[in-house]
Amino acid sequence: QVQLVESGGGLGQAGDSLTLSCAVSGRTFANYAMGWFRQAPGKEREFVAAISWSGISTRYADAVKDRFTISRDNTKNTGHLQMNSLKPEDTAVYYCAADPGLAIMTSVASYDYWGQGTQVTVSS
């Protein structure tokens, strides 16, 4: 089993920056690709960003490209999502997830382990 715990969410205004963290325990973090997803009220959970187990490859949703940066530190079993130039439409619960596969996946169904989520609210 892999346990993931997100932190760093909160309130912000348009244009602000926030950094989310994901602490991983239970198994070797380096064996898993990591993804961030978000879910706004009344909407389906959607892909935000993902990073390969090595950290070399990343992928972003078009809505966050050039504003968000995903990273990981396998020595500390943590992942991060740096969010810049926040917009009200970024308001959602953000989840980190782990996938034992080698490829970067963007679908919710591809990820086996999930955190409990952290709320990000951006006002205009």
Side-chain angles (χ1 to χ4, degrees):
Q1 286 286 342
V2 176
Q3 292 81 41
L4 303 97
V5 179
E6 302 94 338
S7 61
L11 300 174
Q13 293 185 327
D16 283 353
S17 297
L18 282 174
T19 300
L20 305 183
S21 297
C22 179
V24 181
S25 61
R27 295 225 176 141
T28 303
F29 181 46
N31 291 342
Y32 295 83
M34 186 185 74
W36 286 93
F37 291 76
R38 66 187 182 186
Q39 188 166 17
K43 295 187 177 181
E44 294 187 350
R45 193 169 299 188
E46 65 176 6
F47 171 75
V48 174
I51 188 167
S52 62
W53 66 271
S54 64
I56 293 176
S57 300
T58 59
R59 193 166 177 181
Y60 296 92
D62 289 343
V64 306
K65 198 173 296 182
D66 299 326
R67 297 189 299 123
F68 290 11
T69 302
I70 189 172
S71 63
R72 65 188 294 159
D73 185 341
N74 289 342
T75 66
K76 297 181 179 179
N77 288 350
T78 58
H80 301 283
L81 184 68
Q82 172 70 40
M83 306 185 295
N84 298 327
S85 302
L86 284 166
K87 303 176 180 180
E89 51 262 44
D90 294 321
T91 295
V93 177
Y94 283 72
Y95 300 88
C96 65
D99 167 28
L102 296 178
I104 295 179
M105 307 302 288
T106 62
S107 66
V108 171
S110 297
Y111 288 79
D112 292 346
Y113 303 101
W114 293 82
Q116 82 290 348
T118 186
Q119 177 71 47
V120 172
T121 303
V122 184
S123 61
S124 58

mmCIF file with all atom_site columns, all heavy atoms in Angstrom, residues 39-62:
data_model
loop_
_atom_site.group_PDB
_atom_site.id
_atom_site.type_symbol
_atom_site.label_atom_id
_atom_site.label_alt_id
_atom_site.label_comp_id
_atom_site.label_asym_id
_atom_site.label_entity_id
_atom_site.label_seq_id
_atom_site.pdbx_PDB_ins_code
_atom_site.Cartn_x
_atom_site.Cartn_y
_atom_site.Cartn_z
_atom_site.occupancy
_atom_site.B_iso_or_equiv
_atom_site.pdbx_formal_charge
_atom_site.auth_seq_id
_atom_site.auth_comp_id
_atom_site.auth_asym_id
_atom_site.auth_atom_id
_atom_site.pdbx_PDB_model_num
ATOM 1   N N   . GLN A 1 39 ? -10.672 18.570 -8.689  1.00 0.00 ? 39 GLN A N   1
ATOM 2   C CA  . GLN A 1 39 ? -12.100 18.396 -8.876  1.00 0.00 ? 39 GLN A CA  1
ATOM 3   C C   . GLN A 1 39 ? -12.829 19.612 -8.320  1.00 0.00 ? 39 GLN A C   1
ATOM 4   O O   . GLN A 1 39 ? -12.749 19.890 -7.119  1.00 0.00 ? 39 GLN A O   1
ATOM 5   C CB  . GLN A 1 39 ? -12.593 17.117 -8.193  1.00 0.00 ? 39 GLN A CB  1
ATOM 6   C CG  . GLN A 1 39 ? -14.035 16.773 -8.509  1.00 0.00 ? 39 GLN A CG  1
ATOM 7   C CD  . GLN A 1 39 ? -14.387 15.362 -8.097  1.00 0.00 ? 39 GLN A CD  1
ATOM 8   O OE1 . GLN A 1 39 ? -13.685 14.721 -7.312  1.00 0.00 ? 39 GLN A OE1 1
ATOM 9   N NE2 . GLN A 1 39 ? -15.471 14.846 -8.640  1.00 0.00 ? 39 GLN A NE2 1
ATOM 10  N N   . ALA A 1 40 ? -13.511 20.312 -9.205  1.00 0.00 ? 40 ALA A N   1
ATOM 11  C CA  . ALA A 1 40 ? -14.318 21.462 -8.816  1.00 0.00 ? 40 ALA A CA  1
ATOM 12  C C   . ALA A 1 40 ? -15.734 20.986 -8.510  1.00 0.00 ? 40 ALA A C   1
ATOM 13  O O   . ALA A 1 40 ? -16.155 19.927 -8.987  1.00 0.00 ? 40 ALA A O   1
ATOM 14  C CB  . ALA A 1 40 ? -14.331 22.496 -9.934  1.00 0.00 ? 40 ALA A CB  1
ATOM 15  N N   . PRO A 1 41 ? -16.487 21.749 -7.726  1.00 0.00 ? 41 PRO A N   1
ATOM 16  C CA  . PRO A 1 41 ? -17.852 21.340 -7.390  1.00 0.00 ? 41 PRO A CA  1
ATOM 17  C C   . PRO A 1 41 ? -18.698 21.094 -8.635  1.00 0.00 ? 41 PRO A C   1
ATOM 18  O O   . PRO A 1 41 ? -18.725 21.911 -9.558  1.00 0.00 ? 41 PRO A O   1
ATOM 19  C CB  . PRO A 1 41 ? -18.385 22.536 -6.596  1.00 0.00 ? 41 PRO A CB  1
ATOM 20  C CG  . PRO A 1 41 ? -17.168 23.163 -6.008  1.00 0.00 ? 41 PRO A CG  1
ATOM 21  C CD  . PRO A 1 41 ? -16.099 22.995 -7.032  1.00 0.00 ? 41 PRO A CD  1
ATOM 22  N N   . GLY A 1 42 ? -19.356 19.951 -8.668  1.00 0.00 ? 42 GLY A N   1
ATOM 23  C CA  . GLY A 1 42 ? -20.223 19.629 -9.774  1.00 0.00 ? 42 GLY A CA  1
ATOM 24  C C   . GLY A 1 42 ? -19.526 19.156 -11.027 1.00 0.00 ? 42 GLY A C   1
ATOM 25  O O   . GLY A 1 42 ? -20.175 18.928 -12.051 1.00 0.00 ? 42 GLY A O   1
ATOM 26  N N   . LYS A 1 43 ? -18.205 19.015 -10.956 1.00 0.00 ? 43 LYS A N   1
ATOM 27  C CA  . LYS A 1 43 ? -17.452 18.590 -12.138 1.00 0.00 ? 43 LYS A CA  1
ATOM 28  C C   . LYS A 1 43 ? -16.699 17.303 -11.857 1.00 0.00 ? 43 LYS A C   1
ATOM 29  O O   . LYS A 1 43 ? -16.492 16.917 -10.720 1.00 0.00 ? 43 LYS A O   1
ATOM 30  C CB  . LYS A 1 43 ? -16.474 19.690 -12.564 1.00 0.00 ? 43 LYS A CB  1
ATOM 31  C CG  . LYS A 1 43 ? -17.149 20.966 -13.035 1.00 0.00 ? 43 LYS A CG  1
ATOM 32  C CD  . LYS A 1 43 ? -16.132 21.939 -13.601 1.00 0.00 ? 43 LYS A CD  1
ATOM 33  C CE  . LYS A 1 43 ? -16.811 23.194 -14.149 1.00 0.00 ? 43 LYS A CE  1
ATOM 34  N NZ  . LYS A 1 43 ? -15.822 24.146 -14.724 1.00 0.00 ? 43 LYS A NZ  1
ATOM 35  N N   . GLU A 1 44 ? -16.274 16.663 -12.921 1.00 0.00 ? 44 GLU A N   1
ATOM 36  C CA  . GLU A 1 44 ? -15.497 15.442 -12.789 1.00 0.00 ? 44 GLU A CA  1
ATOM 37  C C   . GLU A 1 44 ? -14.052 15.773 -12.421 1.00 0.00 ? 44 GLU A C   1
ATOM 38  O O   . GLU A 1 44 ? -13.559 16.872 -12.691 1.00 0.00 ? 44 GLU A O   1
ATOM 39  C CB  . GLU A 1 44 ? -15.534 14.645 -14.091 1.00 0.00 ? 44 GLU A CB  1
ATOM 40  C CG  . GLU A 1 44 ? -16.905 14.102 -14.452 1.00 0.00 ? 44 GLU A CG  1
ATOM 41  C CD  . GLU A 1 44 ? -16.857 13.177 -15.640 1.00 0.00 ? 44 GLU A CD  1
ATOM 42  O OE1 . GLU A 1 44 ? -15.808 13.093 -16.296 1.00 0.00 ? 44 GLU A OE1 1
ATOM 43  O OE2 . GLU A 1 44 ? -17.881 12.538 -15.929 1.00 0.00 ? 44 GLU A OE2 1
ATOM 44  N N   . ARG A 1 45 ? -13.402 14.815 -11.801 1.00 0.00 ? 45 ARG A N   1
ATOM 45  C CA  . ARG A 1 45 ? -11.987 14.970 -11.488 1.00 0.00 ? 45 ARG A CA  1
ATOM 46  C C   . ARG A 1 45 ? -11.200 15.039 -12.798 1.00 0.00 ? 45 ARG A C   1
ATOM 47  O O   . ARG A 1 45 ? -11.420 14.231 -13.705 1.00 0.00 ? 45 ARG A O   1
ATOM 48  C CB  . ARG A 1 45 ? -11.517 13.808 -10.637 1.00 0.00 ? 45 ARG A CB  1
ATOM 49  C CG  . ARG A 1 45 ? -10.162 14.012 -9.995  1.00 0.00 ? 45 ARG A CG  1
ATOM 50  C CD  . ARG A 1 45 ? -9.880  12.939 -8.942  1.00 0.00 ? 45 ARG A CD  1
ATOM 51  N NE  . ARG A 1 45 ? -10.862 12.972 -7.858  1.00 0.00 ? 45 ARG A NE  1
ATOM 52  C CZ  . ARG A 1 45 ? -10.755 12.247 -6.752  1.00 0.00 ? 45 ARG A CZ  1
ATOM 53  N NH1 . ARG A 1 45 ? -9.713  11.443 -6.578  1.00 0.00 ? 45 ARG A NH1 1
ATOM 54  N NH2 . ARG A 1 45 ? -11.685 12.324 -5.821  1.00 0.00 ? 45 ARG A NH2 1
ATOM 55  N N   . GLU A 1 46 ? -10.281 15.997 -12.872 1.00 0.00 ? 46 GLU A N   1
ATOM 56  C CA  . GLU A 1 46 ? -9.539  16.175 -14.109 1.00 0.00 ? 46 GLU A CA  1
ATOM 57  C C   . GLU A 1 46 ? -8.034  16.198 -13.860 1.00 0.00 ? 46 GLU A C   1
ATOM 58  O O   . GLU A 1 46 ? -7.557  16.579 -12.796 1.00 0.00 ? 46 GLU A O   1
ATOM 59  C CB  . GLU A 1 46 ? -9.956  17.480 -14.802 1.00 0.00 ? 46 GLU A CB  1
ATOM 60  C CG  . GLU A 1 46 ? -9.623  18.739 -14.035 1.00 0.00 ? 46 GLU A CG  1
ATOM 61  C CD  . GLU A 1 46 ? -9.970  20.006 -14.808 1.00 0.00 ? 46 GLU A CD  1
ATOM 62  O OE1 . GLU A 1 46 ? -10.578 19.929 -15.896 1.00 0.00 ? 46 GLU A OE1 1
ATOM 63  O OE2 . GLU A 1 46 ? -9.611  21.100 -14.319 1.00 0.00 ? 46 GLU A OE2 1
ATOM 64  N N   . PHE A 1 47 ? -7.327  15.810 -14.891 1.00 0.00 ? 47 PHE A N   1
ATOM 65  C CA  . PHE A 1 47 ? -5.870  15.777 -14.853 1.00 0.00 ? 47 PHE A CA  1
ATOM 66  C C   . PHE A 1 47 ? -5.302  17.188 -14.823 1.00 0.00 ? 47 PHE A C   1
ATOM 67  O O   . PHE A 1 47 ? -5.780  18.076 -15.524 1.00 0.00 ? 47 PHE A O   1
ATOM 68  C CB  . PHE A 1 47 ? -5.366  15.038 -16.091 1.00 0.00 ? 47 PHE A CB  1
ATOM 69  C CG  . PHE A 1 47 ? -3.877  15.121 -16.298 1.00 0.00 ? 47 PHE A CG  1
ATOM 70  C CD1 . PHE A 1 47 ? -3.011  14.380 -15.507 1.00 0.00 ? 47 PHE A CD1 1
ATOM 71  C CD2 . PHE A 1 47 ? -3.353  15.951 -17.280 1.00 0.00 ? 47 PHE A CD2 1
ATOM 72  C CE1 . PHE A 1 47 ? -1.642  14.456 -15.709 1.00 0.00 ? 47 PHE A CE1 1
ATOM 73  C CE2 . PHE A 1 47 ? -1.987  16.029 -17.492 1.00 0.00 ? 47 PHE A CE2 1
ATOM 74  C CZ  . PHE A 1 47 ? -1.135  15.275 -16.697 1.00 0.00 ? 47 PHE A CZ  1
ATOM 75  N N   . VAL A 1 48 ? -4.252  17.366 -14.004 1.00 0.00 ? 48 VAL A N   1
ATOM 76  C CA  . VAL A 1 48 ? -3.553  18.644 -13.939 1.00 0.00 ? 48 VAL A CA  1
ATOM 77  C C   . VAL A 1 48 ? -2.112  18.501 -14.426 1.00 0.00 ? 48 VAL A C   1
ATOM 78  O O   . VAL A 1 48 ? -1.678  19.204 -15.327 1.00 0.00 ? 48 VAL A O   1
ATOM 79  C CB  . VAL A 1 48 ? -3.567  19.202 -12.502 1.00 0.00 ? 48 VAL A CB  1
ATOM 80  C CG1 . VAL A 1 48 ? -2.713  20.470 -12.418 1.00 0.00 ? 48 VAL A CG1 1
ATOM 81  C CG2 . VAL A 1 48 ? -4.987  19.465 -12.036 1.00 0.00 ? 48 VAL A CG2 1
ATOM 82  N N   . ALA A 1 49 ? -1.370  17.578 -13.812 1.00 0.00 ? 49 ALA A N   1
ATOM 83  C CA  . ALA A 1 49 ? 0.033   17.414 -14.168 1.00 0.00 ? 49 ALA A CA  1
ATOM 84  C C   . ALA A 1 49 ? 0.506   16.047 -13.698 1.00 0.00 ? 49 ALA A C   1
ATOM 85  O O   . ALA A 1 49 ? -0.089  15.451 -12.795 1.00 0.00 ? 49 ALA A O   1
ATOM 86  C CB  . ALA A 1 49 ? 0.894   18.503 -13.533 1.00 0.00 ? 49 ALA A CB  1
ATOM 87  N N   . ALA A 1 50 ? 1.569   15.548 -14.314 1.00 0.00 ? 50 ALA A N   1
ATOM 88  C CA  . ALA A 1 50 ? 2.145   14.272 -13.915 1.00 0.00 ? 50 ALA A CA  1
ATOM 89  C C   . ALA A 1 50 ? 3.641   14.294 -14.149 1.00 0.00 ? 50 ALA A C   1
ATOM 90  O O   . ALA A 1 50 ? 4.150   15.051 -14.993 1.00 0.00 ? 50 ALA A O   1
ATOM 91  C CB  . ALA A 1 50 ? 1.500   13.120 -14.683 1.00 0.00 ? 50 ALA A CB  1
ATOM 92  N N   . ILE A 1 51 ? 4.348   13.448 -13.400 1.00 0.00 ? 51 ILE A N   1
ATOM 93  C CA  . ILE A 1 51 ? 5.793   13.373 -13.495 1.00 0.00 ? 51 ILE A CA  1
ATOM 94  C C   . ILE A 1 51 ? 6.209   11.917 -13.407 1.00 0.00 ? 51 ILE A C   1
ATOM 95  O O   . ILE A 1 51 ? 5.635   11.135 -12.645 1.00 0.00 ? 51 ILE A O   1
ATOM 96  C CB  . ILE A 1 51 ? 6.458   14.227 -12.392 1.00 0.00 ? 51 ILE A CB  1
ATOM 97  C CG1 . ILE A 1 51 ? 7.967   14.329 -12.582 1.00 0.00 ? 51 ILE A CG1 1
ATOM 98  C CG2 . ILE A 1 51 ? 6.093   13.709 -11.004 1.00 0.00 ? 51 ILE A CG2 1
ATOM 99  C CD1 . ILE A 1 51 ? 8.605   15.412 -11.699 1.00 0.00 ? 51 ILE A CD1 1
ATOM 100 N N   . SER A 1 52 ? 7.194   11.549 -14.197 1.00 0.00 ? 52 SER A N   1
ATOM 101 C CA  . SER A 1 52 ? 7.658   10.165 -14.213 1.00 0.00 ? 52 SER A CA  1
ATOM 102 C C   . SER A 1 52 ? 8.386   9.836  -12.916 1.00 0.00 ? 52 SER A C   1
ATOM 103 O O   . SER A 1 52 ? 8.743   10.713 -12.134 1.00 0.00 ? 52 SER A O   1
ATOM 104 C CB  . SER A 1 52 ? 8.585   9.950  -15.409 1.00 0.00 ? 52 SER A CB  1
ATOM 105 O OG  . SER A 1 52 ? 9.734   10.780 -15.292 1.00 0.00 ? 52 SER A OG  1
ATOM 106 N N   . TRP A 1 53 ? 8.647   8.556  -12.721 1.00 0.00 ? 53 TRP A N   1
ATOM 107 C CA  . TRP A 1 53 ? 9.302   8.118  -11.490 1.00 0.00 ? 53 TRP A CA  1
ATOM 108 C C   . TRP A 1 53 ? 10.668  8.768  -11.316 1.00 0.00 ? 53 TRP A C   1
ATOM 109 O O   . TRP A 1 53 ? 11.098  9.049  -10.197 1.00 0.00 ? 53 TRP A O   1
ATOM 110 C CB  . TRP A 1 53 ? 9.451   6.603  -11.483 1.00 0.00 ? 53 TRP A CB  1
ATOM 111 C CG  . TRP A 1 53 ? 10.382  6.093  -12.553 1.00 0.00 ? 53 TRP A CG  1
ATOM 112 C CD1 . TRP A 1 53 ? 10.071  5.739  -13.828 1.00 0.00 ? 53 TRP A CD1 1
ATOM 113 C CD2 . TRP A 1 53 ? 11.804  5.912  -12.433 1.00 0.00 ? 53 TRP A CD2 1
ATOM 114 N NE1 . TRP A 1 53 ? 11.196  5.357  -14.508 1.00 0.00 ? 53 TRP A NE1 1
ATOM 115 C CE2 . TRP A 1 53 ? 12.273  5.446  -13.665 1.00 0.00 ? 53 TRP A CE2 1
ATOM 116 C CE3 . TRP A 1 53 ? 12.717  6.093  -11.385 1.00 0.00 ? 53 TRP A CE3 1
ATOM 117 C CZ2 . TRP A 1 53 ? 13.616  5.157  -13.898 1.00 0.00 ? 53 TRP A CZ2 1
ATOM 118 C CZ3 . TRP A 1 53 ? 14.052  5.797  -11.613 1.00 0.00 ? 53 TRP A CZ3 1
ATOM 119 C CH2 . TRP A 1 53 ? 14.488  5.342  -12.867 1.00 0.00 ? 53 TRP A CH2 1
ATOM 120 N N   . SER A 1 54 ? 11.346  9.032  -12.419 1.00 0.00 ? 54 SER A N   1
ATOM 121 C CA  . SER A 1 54 ? 12.686  9.621  -12.362 1.00 0.00 ? 54 SER A CA  1
ATOM 122 C C   . SER A 1 54 ? 12.658  11.135 -12.250 1.00 0.00 ? 54 SER A C   1
ATOM 123 O O   . SER A 1 54 ? 13.674  11.754 -11.919 1.00 0.00 ? 54 SER A O   1
ATOM 124 C CB  . SER A 1 54 ? 13.462  9.246  -13.625 1.00 0.00 ? 54 SER A CB  1
ATOM 125 O OG  . SER A 1 54 ? 12.837  9.825  -14.759 1.00 0.00 ? 54 SER A OG  1
ATOM 126 N N   . GLY A 1 55 ? 11.518  11.723 -12.555 1.00 0.00 ? 55 GLY A N   1
ATOM 127 C CA  . GLY A 1 55 ? 11.441  13.178 -12.570 1.00 0.00 ? 55 GLY A CA  1
ATOM 128 C C   . GLY A 1 55 ? 11.853  13.803 -13.878 1.00 0.00 ? 55 GLY A C   1
ATOM 129 O O   . GLY A 1 55 ? 11.765  15.021 -14.049 1.00 0.00 ? 55 GLY A O   1
ATOM 130 N N   . ILE A 1 56 ? 12.282  12.987 -14.825 1.00 0.00 ? 56 ILE A N   1
ATOM 131 C CA  . ILE A 1 56 ? 12.779  13.521 -16.090 1.00 0.00 ? 56 ILE A CA  1
ATOM 132 C C   . ILE A 1 56 ? 11.640  13.977 -16.997 1.00 0.00 ? 56 ILE A C   1
ATOM 133 O O   . ILE A 1 56 ? 11.737  14.992 -17.690 1.00 0.00 ? 56 ILE A O   1
ATOM 134 C CB  . ILE A 1 56 ? 13.635  12.464 -16.804 1.00 0.00 ? 56 ILE A CB  1
ATOM 135 C CG1 . ILE A 1 56 ? 14.925  12.213 -16.010 1.00 0.00 ? 56 ILE A CG1 1
ATOM 136 C CG2 . ILE A 1 56 ? 13.968  12.899 -18.235 1.00 0.00 ? 56 ILE A CG2 1
ATOM 137 C CD1 . ILE A 1 56 ? 15.796  11.113 -16.576 1.00 0.00 ? 56 ILE A CD1 1
ATOM 138 N N   . SER A 1 57 ? 10.560  13.226 -16.996 1.00 0.00 ? 57 SER A N   1
ATOM 139 C CA  . SER A 1 57 ? 9.450   13.542 -17.899 1.00 0.00 ? 57 SER A CA  1
ATOM 140 C C   . SER A 1 57 ? 8.281   14.137 -17.126 1.00 0.00 ? 57 SER A C   1
ATOM 141 O O   . SER A 1 57 ? 7.942   13.665 -16.039 1.00 0.00 ? 57 SER A O   1
ATOM 142 C CB  . SER A 1 57 ? 8.993   12.281 -18.627 1.00 0.00 ? 57 SER A CB  1
ATOM 143 O OG  . SER A 1 57 ? 10.039  11.736 -19.394 1.00 0.00 ? 57 SER A OG  1
ATOM 144 N N   . THR A 1 58 ? 7.667   15.150 -17.700 1.00 0.00 ? 58 THR A N   1
ATOM 145 C CA  . THR A 1 58 ? 6.479   15.764 -17.110 1.00 0.00 ? 58 THR A CA  1
ATOM 146 C C   . THR A 1 58 ? 5.430   15.995 -18.183 1.00 0.00 ? 58 THR A C   1
ATOM 147 O O   . THR A 1 58 ? 5.735   16.006 -19.385 1.00 0.00 ? 58 THR A O   1
ATOM 148 C CB  . THR A 1 58 ? 6.807   17.116 -16.448 1.00 0.00 ? 58 THR A CB  1
ATOM 149 O OG1 . THR A 1 58 ? 7.363   17.999 -17.439 1.00 0.00 ? 58 THR A OG1 1
ATOM 150 C CG2 . THR A 1 58 ? 7.773   16.953 -15.298 1.00 0.00 ? 58 THR A CG2 1
ATOM 151 N N   . ARG A 1 59 ? 4.224   16.187 -17.728 1.00 0.00 ? 59 ARG A N   1
ATOM 152 C CA  . ARG A 1 59 ? 3.125   16.442 -18.645 1.00 0.00 ? 59 ARG A CA  1
ATOM 153 C C   . ARG A 1 59 ? 2.117   17.322 -17.936 1.00 0.00 ? 59 ARG A C   1
ATOM 154 O O   . ARG A 1 59 ? 1.896   17.162 -16.734 1.00 0.00 ? 59 ARG A O   1
ATOM 155 C CB  . ARG A 1 59 ? 2.488   15.125 -19.079 1.00 0.00 ? 59 ARG A CB  1
ATOM 156 C CG  . ARG A 1 59 ? 1.548   15.230 -20.252 1.00 0.00 ? 59 ARG A CG  1
ATOM 157 C CD  . ARG A 1 59 ? 1.266   13.839 -20.791 1.00 0.00 ? 59 ARG A CD  1
ATOM 158 N NE  . ARG A 1 59 ? 0.314   13.867 -21.892 1.00 0.00 ? 59 ARG A NE  1
ATOM 159 C CZ  . ARG A 1 59 ? -0.115  12.790 -22.521 1.00 0.00 ? 59 ARG A CZ  1
ATOM 160 N NH1 . ARG A 1 59 ? 0.324   11.593 -22.164 1.00 0.00 ? 59 ARG A NH1 1
ATOM 161 N NH2 . ARG A 1 59 ? -0.974  12.895 -23.508 1.00 0.00 ? 59 ARG A NH2 1
ATOM 162 N N   . TYR A 1 60 ? 1.494   18.245 -18.682 1.00 0.00 ? 60 TYR A N   1
ATOM 163 C CA  . TYR A 1 60 ? 0.569   19.194 -18.089 1.00 0.00 ? 60 TYR A CA  1
ATOM 164 C C   . TYR A 1 60 ? -0.710  19.283 -18.897 1.00 0.00 ? 60 TYR A C   1
ATOM 165 O O   . TYR A 1 60 ? -0.709  19.141 -20.127 1.00 0.00 ? 60 TYR A O   1
ATOM 166 C CB  . TYR A 1 60 ? 1.201   20.591 -18.027 1.00 0.00 ? 60 TYR A CB  1
ATOM 167 C CG  . TYR A 1 60 ? 2.412   20.675 -17.131 1.00 0.00 ? 60 TYR A CG  1
ATOM 168 C CD1 . TYR A 1 60 ? 3.691   20.477 -17.639 1.00 0.00 ? 60 TYR A CD1 1
ATOM 169 C CD2 . TYR A 1 60 ? 2.282   20.944 -15.775 1.00 0.00 ? 60 TYR A CD2 1
ATOM 170 C CE1 . TYR A 1 60 ? 4.806   20.537 -16.818 1.00 0.00 ? 60 TYR A CE1 1
ATOM 171 C CE2 . TYR A 1 60 ? 3.389   21.023 -14.947 1.00 0.00 ? 60 TYR A CE2 1
ATOM 172 C CZ  . TYR A 1 60 ? 4.652   20.809 -15.473 1.00 0.00 ? 60 TYR A CZ  1
ATOM 173 O OH  . TYR A 1 60 ? 5.758   20.875 -14.649 1.00 0.00 ? 60 TYR A OH  1
ATOM 174 N N   . ALA A 1 61 ? -1.786  19.589 -18.198 1.00 0.00 ? 61 ALA A N   1
ATOM 175 C CA  . ALA A 1 61 ? -3.028  19.929 -18.886 1.00 0.00 ? 61 ALA A CA  1
ATOM 176 C C   . ALA A 1 61 ? -2.853  21.301 -19.534 1.00 0.00 ? 61 ALA A C   1
ATOM 177 O O   . ALA A 1 61 ? -2.128  22.158 -19.021 1.00 0.00 ? 61 ALA A O   1
ATOM 178 C CB  . ALA A 1 61 ? -4.184  19.959 -17.903 1.00 0.00 ? 61 ALA A CB  1
ATOM 179 N N   . ASP A 1 62 ? -3.503  21.503 -20.637 1.00 0.00 ? 62 ASP A N   1
ATOM 180 C CA  . ASP A 1 62 ? -3.383  22.781 -21.353 1.00 0.00 ? 62 ASP A CA  1
ATOM 181 C C   . ASP A 1 62 ? -3.771  23.964 -20.465 1.00 0.00 ? 62 ASP A C   1
ATOM 182 O O   . ASP A 1 62 ? -3.181  25.043 -20.574 1.00 0.00 ? 62 ASP A O   1
ATOM 183 C CB  . ASP A 1 62 ? -4.261  22.768 -22.599 1.00 0.00 ? 62 ASP A CB  1
ATOM 184 C CG  . ASP A 1 62 ? -3.723  21.854 -23.689 1.00 0.00 ? 62 ASP A CG  1
ATOM 185 O OD1 . ASP A 1 62 ? -2.529  21.487 -23.627 1.00 0.00 ? 62 ASP A OD1 1
ATOM 186 O OD2 . ASP A 1 62 ? -4.491  21.498 -24.588 1.00 0.00 ? 62 ASP A OD2 1
#
